[in-house]
Amino acid sequence: MIDYVIVGAGSAGCVLANRLVDKGYRVTVLEAGGSDARTEVRIPAAFTKLFHGECDWGYRTVPQPSLFHRALYWPRARMLGGCSSMNAQMWYPGFPADYDGWASAGATGWDWNTLKPYLSRIEHGRNGDGGTGLHIEPVRDPNPSTRAFLNACERSGVPRLGASATRTGGYSLTPTTQRLGRRFSAADGYLRPAQKNTRLDVITNALVRRVLFEGTRAVGVEYRDGDGQLRKLRVAREVILSSGAVNSPQLLLLSGVGDPEALRRSGIDVVLSLPGVGKNLQDHLMTAVIAECPKPVTLVAARASCASSCRRRGTSRPTWARPRSSSARAPSSPSRTSSSSSRRCRSRITAW
C-alpha cells in the first residue's frame, strides 16, 4: 500500500511529490489531464494557444456584479505541471507587507521572515545552488515597446525595483520562470527529478471523483482512469488534494465535506459539516495598459504577419506548428485560429 496519494500534478502537487519521495515515502500522483509535451507549452509566447483546448478546464465565473455583470473566463490547466505549464511565466513572489498582513490577521507562520527561506529555495536557478526548484531568468529579448516603457519610467523618476524588491511602487522588467528561453514549469523543476525514484508513480488521465472515508478519516480516492474504468486507491497515511482553488473544494463537496444543506440539495451524503468549503474565493485581478504602437513589433503584429504568410502558402498553421511527417509529429495544438489579428497594431504593457 502506498503512503500518500496526491490529487493534481500542478504547482503544489509537483513540489509535494518531490519532497515526500525525498523523505522515503511511497507516493502516487493522480492527474486528470495528460502530458505537457507540447510545443505550445515550451514556447513562452504560445501559451494562449492552450486556452479553451484539451489542456484547459475552461472555467467561467458567474456574472460578477462589480464588473457590470460580466462572466470572466478562467484558464485552469489540465496537464502535468498544472497552471505552471500554461501561465504567462511571470515570477513575483510578492512583497513582505503582503505576508506580514496575513500573519497579523491570524495566519501564524506566514510572515515574510518565516517564508523567505522557502521562497529562496524555490529560486534555485537564480541562486545557483543546484537543488530542485524553478529557474528564474530575466526576459532574454525584451520587446522594443517594453524597453521604451521602462526607459520612460526611468526618465520620469519612477524608482527601479531590484530582483528581490521589498517595497511596492516602482518599475521592473518581469522575471520569468524560464530556462534558456523556454518555459520551466513545476513539472520540470520538481516532478521529473522525483520520477527517477521508484517510490513515485504518476498516473495521467485519472479523474478523481471522490475521497473515500472511514468515518471522518480519509483513506483513499475513487478515480476514473483513461479507459473509463472506475478504480479505488487506498493509502496508509494521507490523501492530499492539490487540485487548485476551484477543483480541490469541488472534490471535497463531491466527497461530502461542506455545507450540509447544500450537499443534501445535491443528493450528496454528508461526511463532515464544514460550511466554508467552496465559499469566499477571491481572485487577483490585473489591470493592463493598452496603447497604440506605430511600429510592427508587437505580438499582435507578429500574429497578423504569420496569418498572412500562412494564407499565401495556403496553410492554416505556421511551419513550426505542423506535423513534419507521419512518423515524427509535432505536439498537437487546438485547431483554433487567433482572433487577435487587427488592422491596428496594439501593444499590451503591464505596469507593476
Side-chain angles (χ1 to χ4, degrees):
M1 184 181 294
I2 63 170
D3 296 307
Y4 293 88
V5 61
I6 298 174
V7 182
S11 297
C14 290
V15 176
L16 287 165
N18 183 287
R19 299 295 188 240
L20 288 171
V21 169
D22 190 53
K23 294 293 185 181
Y25 294 112
R26 294 159 297 173
V27 179
T28 295
V29 178
L30 300 177
E31 166 57 41
S35 171
D36 59 341
R38 293 171 175 268
T39 303
E40 297 88 350
V41 171
R42 295 302 157 198
I43 298 177
F47 66 94
T48 58
K49 294 294 184 180
L50 297 166
F51 293 172
H52 304 290
E54 61 181 324
C55 295
D56 180 15
W57 288 98
Y59 290 130
R60 294 193 70 84
T61 69
V62 297
Q64 301 295 300
S66 299
L67 296 173
F68 299 100
H69 298 280
R70 285 181 293 158
L72 302 181
Y73 162 58
W74 275 3
R76 302 293 298 173
R78 181 173 174 160
M79 60 180 147
L80 294 178
C83 289
S84 74
S85 294
M86 193 171 76
N87 61 19
Q89 304 133 81
M90 296 188 294
W91 175 255
Y92 269 114
F95 297 98
D98 297 331
Y99 298 92
D100 292 340
W102 296 343
S104 63
T108 304
W110 284 85
D111 59 281
W112 173 256
N113 288 331
T114 300
L115 291 182
K116 185 178 179 180
Y118 297 98
L119 295 171
S120 296
R121 188 178 181 185
I122 293 173
E123 300 178 349
H124 92 277
R126 174 184 288 168
N127 298 331
D129 61 13
T132 57
L134 299 178
H135 279 269
I136 312 298
E137 297 181 350
V139 177
R140 299 186 70 182
D141 186 20
N143 188 280
S145 61
T146 300
R147 294 195 190 95
F149 177 79
L150 297 179
N151 289 338
C153 289
E154 182 179 14
R155 290 195 301 270
S156 300
V158 178
R160 184 181 181 90
L161 302 177
S164 300
T166 58
R167 69 175 188 273
T168 59
Y171 74 95
S172 173
L173 189 62
T174 307
T176 63
T177 52
Q178 296 176 10
R179 183 180 186 184
L180 302 178
R182 293 162 63 92
R183 177 192 297 274
F184 196 85
S185 69
D188 297 319
Y190 294 94
L191 190 64
R192 290 194 173 87
Q195 283 184 289
K196 300 174 183 177
N197 196 309
T198 57
R199 290 190 296 273
L200 176 63
D201 188 18
V202 178
I203 304 175
T204 56
N205 300 305
L207 180 62
V208 176
R209 293 165 53 88
R210 62 189 178 104
V211 178
L212 303 176
F213 287 92
E214 289 182 356
T216 56
R217 175 176 172 77
V219 296
V221 296
E222 178 184 82
Y223 71 96
R224 191 177 296 279
D225 67 17
D227 296 324
Q229 299 297 313
L230 277 180
R231 299 184 180 275
K232 293 183 178 180
L233 184 64
R234 294 180 65 88
V235 297
R237 289 179 172 269
E238 296 180 14
V239 175
I240 300 175
L241 304 186
S242 60
S243 302
V246 176
N247 292 50
S248 285
Q250 178 200 35
L251 186 53
L252 284 174
L253 292 169
L254 292 173
S255 305
V257 179
D259 186 335
E261 293 185 8
L263 293 174
R264 293 190 185 101
R265 285 198 301 268
S266 299
I268 300 174
D269 294 333
V270 178
V271 173
L272 180 65
S273 173
L274 204 60
V277 174
K279 299 179 181 179
N280 305 313
L281 175 63
Q282 297 183 32
D283 193 12
H284 54 284
L285 299 180
M286 179 178 70
T287 301
V289 177
I290 302 177
E292 288 289 337
C293 180
K295 297 181 179 180
V297 296
T298 66
L299 283 176
V300 172
R303 288 171 180 162
S305 175
C306 181
S308 176
S309 176
C310 288
R311 285 194 296 270
R312 287 197 299 271
R313 290 199 207 94
T315 61
S316 60
R317 288 187 291 175
T319 303
W320 61 264
R322 298 201 308 274
R324 289 184 293 275
S325 69
S326 59
S327 60
R329 295 181 64 86
S332 61
S333 62
S335 56
R336 187 183 300 271
T337 58
S338 171
S339 60
S340 301
S341 300
S342 171
R343 292 196 183 101
R344 310 188 81 178
C345 178
R346 291 190 170 187
S347 173
R348 174 165 294 186
I349 304 171
T350 303
W352 295 91

